[in-house]
Amino acid sequence: LPQNTVAAKLSNTRYLIKRSLHDYPQLDGDGELSRCIEFIESGIDRVYDMDDIEMIMGLEGICAKNYFSIFDRLILSQKEDFKVSGRTKRPPLDPVNAALSFLYTIMTSLYTSALESVGLDSSYGFYHALRSGRSSLACDLVEETRCIAERLVLTMINLKKMNINDFEKQESGAIYLSKDGKKKVLTA
């Protein structure tokens, strides 16, 4: 089951990159996006040869790091305000990661509610370990659909439906969506 979750997540990630390349082939002028797709595809193939959860998580982490290393290239407008050099969380350190974290949190909450509404305990997952206060099963289910949030954030930035004024920087360096920014994202 963890293999299927990781393979589905990687497959959806690959599709997001391919869709961007289809719309904007010039993004791959140096072949970096194609290499990322190949790396992710090899991860999809290799995950089924693994049984150890730590190895599966390691592979998923390496593929995610590779993906987020090219994520900045998928931002086509407002590049000066929406630079991203990788995934940061707890706290997010740039506007892109702030928007992603916000959406991932909402997705996790919705999955938790859905699971609990049918009588399932969302604390016990098959991929994410049991941890106090975490809905591990909801986190497991979000893995496969993260690309929906990623595509939405890219679309909002690229179509200028979100701008730098939709974010607030905390003294700690953390960046979060403002109240108006949250409204825009929820509306979208």
Side-chain angles (χ1 to χ4, degrees), residues 103 148 152-153 155-156 161-162 181-188:
L103 283 168
I148 295 169
L152 178 61
V153 169
T155 299
M156 290 187 74
K161 295 192 181 272
M162 166 189 309
K182 288 177 183 177
K183 282 182 189 176
K184 285 183 182 180
V185 171
L186 291 172
T187 300

Side-chain angles (χ1 to χ4, degrees), residues 33-46:
L33 295 182
S34 292
R35 282 189 288 283
C36 183
I37 290 169
E38 289 171 12
F39 189 83
I40 290 169
E41 287 173 343
S42 74
I44 294 168
D45 293 338
R46 290 183 301 170

Side-chain angles (χ1 to χ4, degrees), residues 65-150:
K65 185 174 181 174
N66 197 288
Y67 167 62
F68 277 105
S69 75
I70 60 93
F71 199 78
D72 194 59
R73 292 173 178 239
L74 306 179
I75 298 171
L76 307 174
S77 66
Q78 306 184 83
K79 288 184 89 54
E80 61 284 344
D81 292 328
F82 290 97
K83 293 178 178 157
V84 60
S85 59
R87 181 76 180 112
T88 61
K89 49 191 172 184
R90 294 184 206 102
L93 300 175
D94 61 65
V96 174
N97 278 293
L100 290 173
S101 290
F102 178 70
L103 283 168
Y104 296 156
T105 299
I106 289 173
M107 291 171 74
T108 303
S109 177
L110 291 172
Y111 275 108
T112 300
S113 294
L115 290 165
E116 291 175 0
S117 74
V118 295
L120 294 173
D121 184 349
S122 65
S123 307
Y124 294 96
F126 54 87
Y127 186 60
H128 289 85
L130 178 64
R131 190 171 81 201
S132 179
R134 177 168 67 186
S135 299
S136 295
L137 184 55
C139 291
D140 293 346
L141 297 174
V142 166
E143 287 299 323
E144 292 186 36
T145 56
R146 283 177 175 265
C147 65
I148 295 169
E150 293 153 8

Side-chain angles (χ1 to χ4, degrees), residues 49-72:
D49 296 331
M50 299 176 177
D51 292 324
D52 181 70
I53 193 73
E54 297 297 323
M55 289 182 67
I56 294 168
M57 291 178 82
L59 174 68
E60 184 268 333
I62 291 167
C63 288
K65 185 174 181 174
N66 197 288
Y67 167 62
F68 277 105
S69 75
I70 60 93
F71 199 78
D72 194 59

